[in-house]
Every structure is written in structure tokens, then in C-alpha cells.
Amino acid sequence: MTPAQFTAETSGRGEFVRQANRFTQRITADGSSDWPVEPGRYRLVVSLACPWAHRSVIVRRLLGLEDALSLAVVDPIRDARGWRFSLDEGGRDPVLGIEFLSEAYLATDPSFTGRYTVPAIVDVHTGQVATNDYPRITLDLSTQWREFHRDGAPDLYPEPLRAEIDAVIEPIFRNVNNGVYRCGFAASQQAYEEAFHDLFGELDRLSDRLATQRYLVGDTITEADIRLFTTLVRFDAVYHGHFKCNRQKLTEMPVLWAYARDLFQTPGFGDTVDFDHIKRHYYGTHEQLNPSGIVPLGPDESGWHTPHGREALGGSPFGTGTPPPAV
């Protein structure tokens, strides 16, 4: 089957408009929703190429939820029916028994006509999507699934810091996480330039903040660092060229490059990155941006393993906790 072209929605001014999440119920520990926390009941469906899904992969690993919440990885190339399970034997997810994520979406809402997005948490028993609300998924893994965290798991959303974390991640989402898409899929010069300036203005502010502190909020890794990392780790590989985010490469922004390397070398971050999936997805799926479908060979990935020197700023990734075990 041929790859499907990603068609971006835009406003009348040519601004990229992100599709709203369709399934926004929460999986809760107190029974306040239709989806109770229950180990083994749900399957987290992700693309290793997708930054939004990558967040949930990192959080799941840091918290040690592998035994409680199983993981399904889709092919980085979507076909005409969306994300597919062609990496699995027989092209079918071994737990859900489906070939395409769309089957779970349509089992939940037969009238759904939007894009079938990842991450999605699917109920194994019914085959329905419990949630595809990616901002909430990771927060709930930290707070609602606490009973099943590993010993020594970090608190990625500590209650005393939640207001500050929320304040930090809002402009990161608008200007950086979504900002690179606003650049890449802008349909007018004005929309592109506005997104470009928002993106690099925010990166400059983050660089100033991180020049004197190791992490975005507090002395340990939090949800804020995870959300920024998944965009930074893709920046030079795809966003700089493919999305025209080309004022500078990440490797040309000293503070952010050192910060990103620090996180990459922290267990749970770099060991969840798949540059092959990332590049093949972006360059092979966005036909309107890369009609040839050629996937670039660079950049050189060895720089991610070079010393970063961020230890001098104090703090430690896991505080009084421990890193996740080696993969």
C-alpha cells in the first residue's frame, strides 16, 4: 500500500491548526471515570517517530510501568488507512488483534472522520480507545498510576511544583512543541514568519532559563523537561530542514544543546529515541513537503554521547530516587 499524505488543516490566514483530541476521558485511580486504573487492562499505542507519543514512552519507562501497561509500536510510515501494525508478525497487533489503529477508533466511535492519532490507550477487553488526550496521558501516568510505579521512581509532577510546571509547559507547547509544526505546515508567508519568531523567541527564553539551572523546574527531571526534550531531540534531524526551522540548529545553541545531551544520556530518555523511525516518518509521510520521499542520512548522531558539563549546575535527574534499570 502507498504511504498516505499528511494533510494539515490551516486557518484562513494560513496558520496550522492542530486537530483536537477526540477521546478525552481519563483513566483514574478513584473510579471517577469510566476507565479505572487496572494493570494489564490497557495497551499504550505509540509511534516512536511522534514527539507526542514519545512523551508517554519516556514516562512509562521512568516510572517502571512496563508490567502494568503494555506497549504497541506502529510502523513509522502510515498507509492510506493511518497507523499500521506492520512491524508485528502477520501485520497485526498481537494483543489487540487489529491491523490498523483506526480499527480501535472506529470501534469506539463509528462516525469518527478525523486522523487516527498516537498516543492512544486502548482497552484490551473492548478494543475501544480509552483516551488519546496526550497532554493528560503522561500526567495521569504520574499521578493516577502511582500504586504501580517502581521503587525509586521519580515524581515527575510533584504537587508543590505543579503550578510552576504548568506555567512553563504552556508556552513550550504553543511556541516549541506545536511551534515547529506551525512553521512546517504554514500555508502563508506571514503565518510561517510569525511561528518562526515565536519558536526561536521561546528557545532563547528557555536558553536563558537553563543557563543557570540544570532542569526547567526544581532540581530534578519533571514533566516539563520531558515535553521539551521530545522536540529538541528531533530538531536537527527533521525540524531544522524539513520544517524550515533554520535560524540555528540545536547544535548551534550551546545551552540547549548541552541540556538536551544531558537528558539524552539520562536513562529513560536517549534509550527511547529511534532516529531511524523519526526520519523515515517525517520525510516519508509528508509528501507535500518532501515529494521525493528521500530520507537524509545525517545528521551524525555521535554528538549526543559527548560530555555536556551540566552537572556543574547542581541537581540530579532522579533526586533521592533511582534510574530505571537498563534496557
Side-chain angles (χ1 to χ4, degrees), residues 52-71:
W52 318 100
H54 190 186
R55 297 176 181 180
S56 60
V57 175
I58 293 172
V59 170
R60 173 179 175 268
R61 171 147 160 68
L62 292 175
L63 300 180
L65 289 171
E66 291 93 337
D67 291 337
L69 178 63
S70 67
L71 184 70

Side-chain angles (χ1 to χ4, degrees), residues 5 30 51 65 76 85 98 100 150 157 160 183 193 201 227 251 275 283 285 299:
Q5 179 175 343
D30 63 3
L65 289 171
F85 293 100
I98 57 178
F100 299 90
R150 65 178 176 85
Y157 196 48
C183 289
E193 291 185 9
R227 295 194 181 196
T251 53
F275 284 114
Y283 288 101
T285 302

Side-chain angles (χ1 to χ4, degrees), residues 34-317:
D34 293 337
W35 305 107
V37 169
E38 184 180 322
R41 176 169 176 174
Y42 304 99
R43 190 150 173 83
L44 173 61
V45 180
V46 303
S47 163
L48 299 180
C50 171
W52 318 100
H54 190 186
R55 297 176 181 180
S56 60
V57 175
I58 293 172
V59 170
R60 173 179 175 268
R61 171 147 160 68
L62 292 175
L63 300 180
L65 289 171
E66 291 93 337
D67 291 337
L69 178 63
S70 67
L71 184 70
V73 177
V74 297
D75 194 296
I77 302 296
R78 294 184 300 247
D79 83 355
R81 285 181 283 176
W83 297 111
R84 51 187 181 159
F85 293 100
S86 54
L87 302 180
D88 294 298
E89 185 176 354
R92 194 176 288 274
D93 181 78
V95 174
L96 300 174
I98 57 178
E99 296 180 84
F100 299 90
L101 179 58
S102 60
E103 296 174 55
Y105 270 70
L106 295 174
T108 316
D109 178 7
S111 66
F112 182 79
T113 59
R115 289 186 297 107
Y116 312 110
T117 61
V118 289
I121 297 183
V122 180
D123 176 34
V124 172
H125 302 314
T126 64
Q128 296 183 348
V129 177
T131 178
N132 73 338
D133 190 5
Y134 62 86
R136 193 72 240 177
I137 284 174
T138 48
L139 297 180
D140 283 345
L141 291 180
S142 287
T143 58
Q144 301 299 311
W145 291 73
R146 192 178 297 274
E147 180 183 351
F148 304 102
H149 290 183
R150 65 178 176 85
D151 292 338
D155 189 348
L156 300 173
Y157 196 48
E159 195 160 358
L161 298 178
R162 287 180 189 176
E164 185 177 0
I165 291 172
D166 291 346
V168 167
I169 62 178
E170 194 282 326
I172 288 176
F173 167 76
R174 183 179 65 251
N175 299 322
V176 180
N177 301 146
N178 199 47
V180 293
Y181 287 84
R182 289 171 55 209
C183 289
F185 292 113
S188 72
Q189 187 69 32
Q190 180 180 357
Y192 163 71
E193 291 185 9
E194 289 176 0
F196 182 95
H197 292 306
D198 287 346
L199 167 63
F200 283 99
E202 189 63 36
L203 290 177
D204 288 342
R205 287 186 286 273
L206 290 167
S207 182
D208 289 342
R209 182 184 186 94
L210 290 165
T212 57
Q213 60 190 68
R214 189 172 179 185
Y215 303 107
L216 282 169
V217 181
D219 295 326
T220 62
I221 53 173
T222 66
E223 176 80 17
D225 299 296
I226 295 164
R227 295 194 181 196
L228 180 56
F229 173 78
T230 58
T231 297
L232 294 183
V233 79
R234 288 162 173 76
F235 202 88
D236 288 3
V238 289
Y239 301 143
H240 177 267
H242 188 57
F243 278 0
K244 306 181 186 70
C245 303
N246 61 354
R247 190 193 79 177
Q248 290 163 292
K249 296 178 181 176
L250 176 64
T251 53
E252 296 167 344
M253 294 181 272
V255 171
L256 291 178
W257 174 223
Y259 166 78
R261 297 201 315 278
D262 186 5
L263 292 177
F264 186 92
Q265 294 168 30
T266 299
F269 285 82
D271 51 32
T272 64
V273 175
D274 191 315
F275 284 114
D276 174 64
H277 277 221
I278 289 168
K279 291 194 296 183
R280 284 199 290 129
H281 167 69
Y282 280 91
Y283 288 101
T285 302
H286 302 152
E287 183 180 335
Q288 73 275 40
L289 300 183
N290 187 38
S292 71
I294 293 173
V295 179
L297 294 177
D300 182 2
E301 298 168 18
S302 63
W304 285 100
H305 302 280
T306 58
H308 51 76
R310 298 280 296 175
E311 304 94 335
L313 294 173
S316 62

